[in-house]
Amino acid sequence: MAGVVARQDLRASAVYVLQTLAVAACSYAGGRLGLLYELRVDGSVVSPIWPPTGIAVASLLLLGPRVWPGITLGAMLVIVHLTSLSPVSLGLLFGSTAAPLCAYLLLRWDGFRTDLGRLRDCLSLVFLGGIAAMLVSSTIGAVLLVVSGDLPAGRFWSVWLPWWVGDAMGVLLIAPVLLLLPRVRSPVHWSRWKEAVALAAVTGVLMPIVTHSPASLLFSVYPLLIWAALRFELPGSMLCALYASVLATGAATARAGPFEGLSDMQIMINLHAFNAASALTALLLSAVVTEQHNTRRSVEQACQELVEVLEHLTGGESAPHARPRRETDPGAG
């Protein structure tokens, strides 16, 4: 018996180590991807979308708070890739870990469900997991840079705001995709397959043109987001929003398309406004559609159960109403 318990403990420990290392590897990979798209605001380099925050929040919600060392390890690897470790780096590691943990605690306190099947869950992810919790990392990071002398006090807000928005956009764009990934199912009917292929083809062709065209055509993305939300709910709409945001971020960092000729601050404002609008459109509209579908299925199931109950009651009452057949007495006269 002791041997069985020891093997189970060893297996549980191995699973925990693998999960933690997987979170660290994904966070590091997300950080390297985020560093590919950088904007320069008042001389400071910022990332418009910081994927490690979304990866961290999704990992905590799916695997539990025990994998927080993986978040810290991934952030440390990203910092080591950029510079050497220092007291400021340790503070940044604390902020990078504390913000996702705050998001996890706030979402659990609000009764968040990872299936994102309710509008309430999407609103919680936006306002608690993204907007509120990411204030922690951006504030800690900007304050540490000012205290260390790496950032003049007069430029505090010009660094704090892009930092906060980049972390929040990582939660709004990356976390929903990772939360829904285990629940994605292929379309059952051939007609849905054809529609999915058509949506993917139109999106793949149209969005690069829209995000890199000198004309202001970014608004053309929203019909595709609405199509994806109405027909394929959160998985389809969030993938479209993420694809559009990545392409727009690439165009902004290259100063191409609708971002050509704009100042650094104008590029940041326009890009963040587009990314936020895309994420919110995909999240909230899909949540409303999903909630309506779930309500309809619940009503249909309740009606079906009611019909079965009525059939059962009707069948059970038919026997007492039937008059019993009188047996003929052989001795009757």
Side-chain angles (χ1 to χ4, degrees), residues 22-323:
V23 171
C26 292
S27 298
Y28 174 68
R32 293 295 300 270
L33 289 175
L35 293 174
L36 295 177
Y37 300 100
E38 296 177 343
L39 290 178
R40 198 169 281 276
V41 180
D42 289 343
S44 300
V45 178
V46 296
S47 178
I49 303 175
W50 190 240
T53 56
I55 295 172
V57 172
S59 300
L60 292 172
L61 291 171
L62 293 175
L63 302 176
R66 64 175 189 165
V67 297
W68 69 265
I71 300 172
T72 305
L73 179 59
M76 184 183 68
L77 293 175
V78 174
I79 292 176
V80 169
H81 171 73
L82 295 174
T83 182
S84 59
L85 291 177
S86 64
V88 175
S89 301
L90 297 178
L92 295 177
L93 287 178
F94 173 77
S96 300
T97 308
L101 283 172
C102 287
Y104 170 81
L105 294 175
L106 288 173
L107 291 173
R108 286 304 184 199
W109 167 78
D110 194 53
F112 178 81
R113 295 197 318 212
T114 57
D115 60 357
L116 295 173
R118 304 175 300 176
L119 178 61
R120 170 184 172 178
D121 297 326
C122 293
L123 292 174
S124 297
L125 185 64
V126 172
F127 291 102
L128 296 180
I131 295 177
M134 295 305 115
L135 293 171
V136 175
S137 56
S138 59
T139 302
I140 291 176
V143 167
L144 285 174
L145 292 178
V146 171
V147 171
S148 65
D150 296 332
L151 178 69
R155 287 168 45 196
F156 174 85
W157 295 110
S158 64
V159 171
W160 178 89
L161 181 60
W163 195 324
W164 171 58
V165 175
D167 284 354
M169 292 311 304
V171 175
L172 299 187
L173 288 170
I174 304 298
V177 175
L178 296 178
L179 291 175
L180 294 170
L181 203 57
R183 297 179 174 85
V184 173
R185 299 293 182 268
S186 60
V188 178
H189 301 291
W190 171 242
S191 60
R192 298 300 302 278
W193 268 108
K194 292 190 292 185
E195 186 178 3
V197 171
L199 175 61
V202 173
T203 302
V205 173
L206 183 61
M207 282 192 180
I209 298 174
V210 167
T211 54
H212 289 77
S213 172
S216 298
L217 299 176
L218 290 177
F219 62 89
S220 303
V221 169
Y222 297 108
L224 294 177
L225 295 178
I226 295 172
W227 178 11
L230 293 177
R231 300 296 294 164
F232 299 100
E233 301 181 17
L234 273 167
S237 64
M238 287 311 305
L239 288 175
C240 285
L242 178 60
Y243 181 53
S245 296
V246 169
L247 291 178
T249 302
T253 54
R255 298 180 176 273
F259 305 98
E260 184 177 357
L262 301 180
S263 65
D264 293 338
M265 186 61 66
Q266 288 174 329
I267 290 176
M268 185 193 72
I269 292 174
N270 291 346
L271 177 62
H272 286 329
F274 173 75
N275 287 345
S278 299
L280 290 176
T281 299
L283 264 176
L284 302 184
L285 180 58
S286 300
V288 171
V289 173
T290 301
E291 198 169 43
Q292 289 180 345
H293 288 174
N294 291 338
T295 302
R296 186 189 64 186
R297 283 192 288 266
S298 298
V299 171
E300 291 176 350
Q301 183 178 1
C303 291
Q304 181 63 31
E305 292 176 355
L306 181 60
V307 169
E308 293 176 355
V309 170
L310 290 176
E311 289 179 350
H312 177 72
L313 291 176
T314 304
E317 291 178 354
S318 61
H321 286 294
R323 298 183 63 182

